[in-house]
Amino acid sequence: MNFIEKGFQQGIGLLFSCDREVFSVVGLSLFVCVAATIIAVFIGVPLGAVIAVKKFPLKKFLITLINTGMGLPPVVVGLVISLLLFRNGPLGILGWLYTVQGMILAQVIIALPIVMGLTVASLQGMDGVYRQIVSLGANQAQAMYLLVKEARLPILAAVIAAFGSVFSEVGAVMMVGGNIKGQTRVLTTDIVLQTQTGNFA
């Protein structure tokens, strides 16, 4: 137990001494996660709203696909994104492997099904309300905006869930980012590395 107590004391010392490496890792973690969440929200909320209120063929299949994506293992996402970003891969020309951009891309792929799925769930059954709003003279964009505004609390929960998911992610960011000190090392990957080396502080 003594090593745990000592580790906490040293860790608190690192925080209060404003250790540059600690704050660099935390800052990069927040940047990557916030950027990925914002991108996922701007794509996922409008798409989720459209899927929820519109009628089209294969709608149930698409919703099932989104729900499946919510449970997709992040390490699988990391593997797929890594393969795409390898020099000989389809997206290799971007040069995003072992970069912050690549990590954000992987995090967006993880967060997007969560945002879309929870948005669809919060707006399902409101297609009648959507049609009423349109019949009163609103265009489709205005009607969607009003529906999303009405369901803002469940959608906020979707945003929080997506952020929590990407912030706690290890596998995908380690595979795509490479855990390079000063460049792509984030909080979760650094915790794994430091714990393996016995640096509990």
Side-chain angles (χ1 to χ4, degrees):
M1 282 298 284
N2 186 43
F3 79 96
I4 295 176
E5 185 182 335
K6 189 178 178 183
F8 268 109
Q9 289 171 353
Q10 291 173 340
I12 290 167
L14 284 171
L15 289 175
F16 280 102
S17 67
C18 297
D19 184 81
R20 183 179 290 180
E21 187 176 345
V22 170
F23 280 85
S24 168
V25 167
V26 172
L28 183 60
S29 300
L30 288 172
F31 174 75
V32 170
C33 295
V34 169
T37 304
I38 289 170
I39 294 167
V41 166
F42 272 97
I43 297 170
V45 170
L47 284 177
V50 169
I51 292 166
V53 300
K54 293 284 190 178
K55 292 183 179 178
F56 55 88
L58 301 176
K59 177 176 176 173
K60 287 184 179 178
F61 174 76
L62 184 57
I63 292 173
T64 303
L65 208 61
I66 292 167
N67 290 335
T68 303
M70 289 172 71
L72 194 65
V75 73
V76 173
V77 174
L79 175 61
V80 171
I81 298 298
S82 296
L83 292 172
L84 292 174
L85 293 177
F86 276 140
R87 187 177 295 176
N88 297 329
L91 301 178
I93 193 168
L94 296 173
W96 281 6
L97 192 62
Y98 306 133
T99 65
V100 172
Q101 296 96 314
M103 291 162 62
I104 291 172
L105 176 62
Q107 299 285 47
V108 168
I109 302 299
I110 292 167
L112 193 56
I114 296 170
V115 174
M116 286 178 67
L118 294 178
T119 300
V120 169
S122 64
L123 295 177
Q124 259 182 336
M126 295 182 74
D127 50 333
V129 177
Y130 170 79
R131 283 195 294 272
Q132 281 183 332
I133 295 170
V134 171
S135 70
L136 290 171
N139 61 37
Q140 291 186 4
Q142 290 169 331
M144 287 291 183
Y145 171 76
L146 290 171
L147 284 183
V148 169
K149 189 178 177 183
E150 189 65 28
R152 61 189 176 275
L153 289 179
I155 290 172
L156 179 61
V159 174
I160 293 168
F163 180 81
S165 177
V166 296
F167 194 79
S168 61
E169 211 309 285
V170 182
V173 290
M174 191 173 279
M175 292 181 76
V176 177
N179 198 24
I180 303 167
K181 184 177 180 179
Q183 295 181 42
T184 60
R185 185 167 292 173
V186 292
L187 200 56
T188 50
T189 58
D190 198 29
I191 288 170
V192 171
L193 177 70
Q194 301 296 346
T195 304
Q196 286 174 342
T197 57
N199 188 6
F200 297 106

